Amino acid sequence: MKLSELKNGETAVIIRLSGHGGFRKRIMEMGFVRGEKVKSVLDSPLSDPVKYHVMGYDVSLRRNEASMIEVLPEEEAKTILTPAPSFGCIAECGHCTTCSCNKQRNNAIRKNVINVALIGNPNSGKTSLFNILTGSSEHVGNYSGVTVDAKSGSFNYKGYRIRITDLPGTYSISAYTPEEIYVRRHLFNEEPDVIINAVVASNIERNLYLTTELIDLNLRTVVALNMYDELVSSGAKINYEHLGAMMGVPMIPTVARSGKGLDKLLDTVIEMFEGTNNTARHIHINYGISMEESITPLAALLHKATDLPHQFPVRYWATKLLEKDNEALKQLHACKDIGTWMKKADKLSHKVEHETGVDVETAISDAKYGFINGALQETYTVGNENANKKTRRIDRLVANKWLGFPLFFALMWLMFTAVYKIGAFPQAWIESAFAFMGQFFTNIIPKGAIQDLVVNGIIGGVGSVAIFLPNILILYLFISLMEDSGYMARAAFIMDRLMHRMGLHGKSFIPMLMGFGCNVPAIMATRTIESHSSRIITILITPFMSCSARLPVYILLAGTFFPEHAPLVMIGLYIFGILIAAFTARMLRIVKYKKDETPFVMELPPYRWPTLRSTLRHMWEKCEQYIKKIGTVVLAATVIIWFLSYFPRPAENATTENNAYAESYIGMMGKSIEPIVEPLGLNWRSSIALIASLPAKELVVSTLGVLYNSNEKNLSQSLIASGDFTKSSAAAFLVFILLFFPCIATVTTIAEETGKKKFALFAIIYNTGIAWLIAFLINQLGSYF
Ligand code: GDP
Ligand code: MG
């Protein structure tokens, strides 16, 4: 029977995994291995994906992916499964010829600098460890994939300079996901002196899988048994000294949140570096007779080579050749005898498959889990799983069929209300502060170009953007709390089905949601999406989410031209943006990214209380970023716009302000692109507003304010009186503003986050193109009726 057929509350045992190699490997790393018990816990409100419990973890899996896992009820499974190879099947190194364990790294050159790499599963507390050790403030979150690239920091400890690198979280260091490749290359290229492997103490079994891979690599590893507090409170017990001795890796209990155990951890790091640790020794995990009989001859062959990369042991390369591991083949590519090796490996792996009935990868991971199981049997006593019970109770509510969505929307409503309503108070203070400054400089600078630049250009322009700082902080307070508590993963869980229709992942939902606030942080939030194609697509569709900068424009134009239906028009615009985003996502999936390369296996971490420190740090980080943006991009843009609209100066006797604008550079630009927007029913004044809005879309309003400035009427009345807009051209204008060129900051962020200019270019051309097309249709159809 298939795992997808399992009903909520039922338990079964895994018999076989099908599906392509990448999928199999991924899910194996996550604990779905032969012989393991798995329980179907909870359906998401739309009945897909499903939350499963395996190896002490909650994991969300889509039904069609679960259908690739074959299971049987426990009783039946017993008759089929042979018992897993038991512990004891390890070989001491030194008795073997298959590895180069005696390799010595040359520490002499830099005697007192230790390079440390932090490796561990997502959410195991690596970044927390990193922050507390280095005193820095990287972003921590109870949500997998928060750290995407490596961050380094250093500090002094007992006469050593310790340089530590926080690597992205991985379940293994095979090479299927970008993170895994990243980590493996880091180990290969940087050759860190010591590895700190963060392991979740309260969920040790799956976490140790990665540790076994580090053992294979023969790297000097110290295990930080992190979240030891959770282990203790769950009532579980672990004899970590004994476990460490068996695995040949020292294990140190830590609590990264409070800093407990860190001195001991660092002492052990130094011992490892100096080679004085008593626990550390190199072991070989026995992969079973058939595998070992294949590894030995192949390793003997490799041993003769002189050009084998020295970073990893011979035995490791032999295993990877048997697995036909792409990354290893790339690294061995230049070796003279690679052809012979591959032929030999091919023959041997066929033999293994024939003898064991499973492929090499499965045979190895089965053996590894067998090894871990055996070791834990002797050293680990399960607790009463209190923590799990609490999490399960909350999840039953949060992902409830009837309550899941209402709760979610209530939370969103609360968030947006807080952002706008509470944010309005400090917003007003900032506004009056800027008004005061403007007044002050008007008084002290004599009337003229300089005064205009300072007051209308710099203070006016920067002020109009700076007032959004409080809103952004509140938005991030909510996002940070949702992330740290573990709710974010649940939001992705319940939205996955809908997002799947767009060819995306539940995780894409969060950034899109954030896009309603501001597209820039939203695009940065896509870092949590593991799948590369999903991430790119999400980045490209985020600008269609109506950010808060567009709101004033909607309020003005909808209120002016559709006074009876203004709220409806506004909601319509929001929804229309979402539809275009969905359409674009589908198109990109059809045309460019045919397949989503990573399966939807997402960990649902236990709920945790967010810490004040990490929440404040997170908010401060955003605050800093935003102020930086105001000081650079926004400031430069406003000065340029001011310059273009102020010069050349009209003759003294110019009739009205309006004409003054028409003859400025920006007026000329408006006129020159008028032919392009004419089919949309717009004239040169609207073009100016569009150009002026490139740095920030709210500038549409202020620009229109200047262009249609009149003493007797307010802006709405002057817009109507001008006769420049019909109902249909106003609608076209609104849709055009919604869809066209995202602001400069967004475009820059797209380029930065994707690392490629072409995506920024796409965002400019495609968005403007589709905006024009739809605005054109609206205007033409509108005038026709
Ligand atoms: P990373 O993904 O490995 O970088 O993990 P993070 O450092 O982002 O931490 C994941 C979550 O675990 C956060 O909510 C942390 O506050 C929490 N956390 C980290 N270390 C500990 C610990 O020792 N004890 C407890 N109870 N929670 C921890
Ligand atoms: Mg991290």
Side-chain angles (χ1 to χ4, degrees):
M1 121 178 164
K2 291 170 180 163
L3 177 60
S4 51
E5 293 162 24
L6 207 63
K7 294 199 182 59
N8 279 181
E10 287 178 356
T11 304
V13 174
I14 297 168
I15 302 296
R16 205 189 339 263
L17 308 174
S18 54
H20 65 90
F23 171 75
R24 258 198 345 256
K25 186 99 190 181
R26 184 75 213 266
I27 124 152
M28 254 166 7
E29 300 160 7
M30 295 204 59
F32 290 86
V33 281
R34 219 161 97 93
E36 194 66 30
K37 263 194 247 167
V38 54
K39 180 176 180 190
S40 162
V41 182
L42 185 71
D43 290 356
S44 79
L46 297 175
S47 91
D48 198 17
V50 182
K51 173 170 133 175
Y52 293 101
H53 190 75
V54 69
M55 237 178 236
Y57 266 91
D58 287 335
V59 173
S60 131
L61 200 65
R62 282 186 187 148
R63 274 176 200 276
N64 66 340
E65 281 156 352
S67 73
M68 288 188 254
I69 301 173
E70 204 177 302
V71 295
L72 276 180
E74 277 180 72
E75 282 309 308
E76 280 176 62
K78 266 190 204 141
T79 58
I80 301 183
L81 291 170
T82 46
S86 73
F87 180 68
C89 40
I90 52 168
E92 284 294 326
C93 192
H95 304 304
C96 66
T97 52
T98 54
C99 80
S100 51
C101 318
N102 50 353
K103 75 178 165 165
Q104 279 292 323
R105 288 201 189 85
N106 194 356
N107 299 336
I109 312 165
R110 33 175 186 74
K111 265 218 150 55
N112 48 10
V113 178
I114 309 180
N115 284 317
V116 176
L118 254 174
I119 294 184
N121 284 188
N123 241 338
S124 55
K126 295 177 298 303
T127 305
S128 304
L129 277 170
F130 178 84
N131 283 347
I132 202 155
L133 288 174
T134 60
S136 74
S137 56
E138 286 309 322
H139 178 195
V140 180
N142 192 13
Y143 184 46
S144 71
V146 169
T147 311
V148 183
D149 42 4
K151 292 266 157 51
S152 291
S154 37
F155 58 97
N156 296 325
Y157 184 78
K158 296 198 176 163
Y160 281 99
R161 183 95 191 136
I162 297 183
R163 195 170 156 269
I164 189 165
T165 309
D166 183 20
L167 290 165
T170 56
Y171 295 104
S172 91
I173 34 181
S174 60
Y176 276 107
T177 63
E179 288 83 5
E180 291 173 9
I181 295 177
Y182 189 98
V183 171
R184 196 151 127 193
R185 291 205 182 138
H186 181 90
L187 294 177
F188 189 80
N189 299 328
E190 308 292 322
E191 296 187 65
D193 301 310
V194 181
I195 312 284
I196 294 181
N197 176 202
V199 161
V200 182
S202 47
N203 264 310
I204 198 163
E205 189 176 358
R206 196 196 63 194
N207 275 258
L208 284 180
Y209 186 82
L210 181 60
T211 315
T212 62
E213 293 194 312
L214 296 172
I215 291 175
D216 286 351
L217 286 172
N218 188 21
L219 297 168
R220 283 183 268 189
T221 307
V222 181
V223 164
L225 273 184
N226 197 32
M227 309 197 188
Y228 204 75
D229 53 330
E230 286 187 359
L231 175 103
V232 170
S233 67
S234 78
K237 284 206 175 61
I238 185 163
N239 184 344
Y240 55 86
E241 275 158 0
H242 189 190
L243 181 65
M246 279 195 275
M247 295 184 74
V249 180
M251 299 196 173
I252 315 295
T254 58
V255 182
R257 267 192 185 190
S258 64
K260 249 195 205 149
L262 295 191
D263 281 347
K264 184 92 204 320
L265 183 70
L266 292 177
D267 289 343
T268 316
V269 165
I270 292 177
E271 280 173 26
M272 294 301 285
F273 183 73
E274 292 175 341
T276 55
N277 185 278
N278 297 327
T279 312
R281 72 197 157 101
H282 182 45
I283 61 162
H284 287 170
I285 297 162
N286 192 309
Y287 292 143
I289 297 171
S290 182
M291 269 302 293
E292 292 298 332
E293 279 176 2
S294 300
I295 293 175
T296 310
L298 190 58
L301 200 63
L302 294 181
H303 225 72
K304 292 190 194 118
T306 49
D307 54 359
L308 200 68
H310 69 279
Q311 287 90 335
F312 299 153
V314 178
R315 181 180 159 92
Y316 177 80
W317 292 121
T319 348
K320 289 291 142 181
L321 279 171
L322 289 171
E323 281 185 35
K324 299 193 187 66
D325 178 279
N326 271 330
E327 183 71 11
L329 290 179
K330 254 186 237 156
Q331 282 160 339
L332 296 179
H333 173 76
C335 294
K336 197 161 76 340
D337 294 329
I338 180 74
T340 330
W341 299 343
M342 278 169 71
K343 249 184 246 143
K344 176 103 182 168
D346 195 45
K347 228 194 270 154
L348 290 167
S349 63
H350 273 303
K351 191 181 75 98
V352 172
E353 269 158 45
H354 182 73
E355 286 173 8
T356 61
V358 291
D359 59 26
V360 173
E361 285 181 344
T362 312
I364 292 179
S365 82
D366 280 356
K368 282 189 168 156
Y369 274 118
F371 168 76
I372 295 168
N373 259 320
L376 288 180
Q377 236 150 50
E378 294 182 33
T379 51
Y380 186 73
T381 340
V382 196
N384 49 17
E385 289 199 78
N386 250 335
N388 259 327
K389 246 182 229 143
K390 196 178 72 197
T391 290
R392 213 161 285 173
R393 211 169 298 147
I394 302 175
D395 263 353
R396 232 177 277 149
L397 201 73
V398 163
N400 182 281
K401 196 166 184 163
W402 306 109
L403 288 177
F405 279 106
L407 262 173
F408 173 76
F409 286 114
L411 198 66
M412 290 303 111
W413 178 84
L414 187 72
M415 176 168 100
F416 280 106
T417 314
V419 165
Y420 295 113
K421 291 271 156 65
I422 301 178
F425 296 103
Q427 206 167 19
W429 304 334
I430 299 180
E431 211 168 353
S432 41
F434 272 91
F436 176 78
M437 275 200 306
Q439 198 51 52
F440 178 73
F441 284 105
T442 313
N443 293 340
I444 63 162
I445 306 176
K447 199 167 158 51
I450 303 288
Q451 188 203 60
D452 204 78
L453 169 66
V454 171
V455 175
N456 294 334
I458 297 175
I459 296 177
V462 167
S464 73
V465 184
I467 55 170
F468 291 105
L469 186 62
N471 311 63
I472 289 183
L473 280 183
I474 296 172
L475 186 71
Y476 276 99
L477 172 67
F478 274 85
I479 286 168
S480 176
L481 291 180
M482 290 201 303
E483 234 174 33
D484 272 9
S485 62
Y487 183 76
M488 205 68 123
R490 272 67 183 187
F493 177 65
I494 64 178
M495 292 306 291
D496 182 63
R497 177 92 183 260
L498 293 176
M499 298 307 292
H500 197 39
R501 295 248 167 89
M502 294 166 56
L504 289 175
H505 192 281
K507 282 189 173 180
S508 300
F509 180 71
I510 310 298
M512 287 176 65
L513 197 75
M514 288 169 62
F516 288 126
C518 173
N519 292 172
V520 173
I523 288 168
M524 295 201 266
T526 61
R527 290 186 188 176
T528 55
I529 302 168
E530 293 149 334
S531 146
H532 178 72
S533 62
S534 287
R535 176 160 182 239
I536 297 287
I537 294 176
T538 311
I539 288 178
L540 293 179
I541 65 174
T542 300
F544 295 125
M545 302 295 111
S546 291
C547 65
S548 56
R550 280 168 255 194
L551 195 63
V553 189
Y554 295 171
I555 294 173
L556 171 70
L557 294 177
T560 304
F561 295 102
F562 306 95
E564 309 90 64
H565 305 294
L568 213 65
V569 170
M570 273 174 46
I571 293 172
L573 283 163
Y574 275 87
I575 294 175
F576 193 67
I578 297 172
L579 291 179
I580 294 291
F583 166 79
T584 307
R586 290 296 299 161
M587 286 305 294
L588 284 169
R589 270 273 177 250
I590 292 168
V591 178
K592 181 84 189 28
Y593 302 101
K594 301 234 160 54
K595 242 178 111 57
D596 192 354
E597 63 281 2
T598 28
F600 182 78
V601 243
M602 184 180 67
E603 199 182 322
L604 296 170
Y607 288 98
R608 296 196 172 98
W609 281 108
T611 59
L612 186 66
R613 191 189 329 163
S614 101
T615 310
L616 290 180
R617 265 180 177 171
H618 192 183
M619 286 171 68
W620 168 241
E621 203 177 284
K622 294 298 156 193
C623 188
E624 216 180 346
Q625 267 172 18
Y626 198 69
I627 292 174
K628 226 192 236 160
K629 176 179 142 189
I630 293 173
T632 53
V633 183
V634 173
L635 183 64
T638 48
V639 171
I640 293 170
I641 297 279
W642 173 83
F643 181 84
L644 293 176
S645 57
Y646 194 77
F647 292 105
R649 295 305 297 154
E652 279 303 317
N653 56 358
T655 45
T656 66
E657 278 282 321
N658 296 8
N659 287 346
Y661 236 109
E663 271 144 38
S664 69
Y665 291 119
I666 212 168
M668 293 178 216
M669 286 163 76
K671 286 245 170 70
S672 69
I673 63 162
E674 193 175 22
I676 303 175
V677 295
E678 212 158 18
L680 316 181
L682 306 175
N683 64 13
W684 65 273
R685 285 194 181 94
S686 322
S687 335
I688 294 178
L690 291 174
I691 298 175
S693 77
L694 297 186
K697 294 213 175 183
E698 55 269 64
L699 296 176
V700 168
V701 175
S702 50
T703 313
L704 290 177
V706 178
L707 291 175
Y708 289 91
N709 156 29
S710 134
N711 290 333
E712 301 91 57
K713 306 185 192 86
N714 71 18
L715 183 52
S716 267
Q717 290 163 337
S718 342
L719 279 171
I720 295 174
S722 74
D724 276 358
F725 294 95
T726 61
K727 263 192 175 9
S728 46
S729 73
F733 194 38
L734 273 168
V735 169
F736 195 82
I737 292 168
L738 159 66
L739 301 175
F740 95 117
F741 185 100
C743 67
I744 291 170
T746 302
V747 173
T748 331
T749 313
I750 292 177
E752 271 166 20
E753 288 293 312
T754 57
K756 296 213 175 80
K757 294 218 172 60
K758 70 172 182 191
F759 290 116
L761 213 61
F762 175 90
I764 297 172
I765 296 170
Y766 172 81
N767 294 23
T768 310
I770 202 162
W772 192 90
L773 199 71
I774 293 172
F776 175 75
L777 288 176
I778 289 177
N779 184 45
Q780 295 299 317
L781 289 176
S783 2
Y784 182 77
F785 289 115

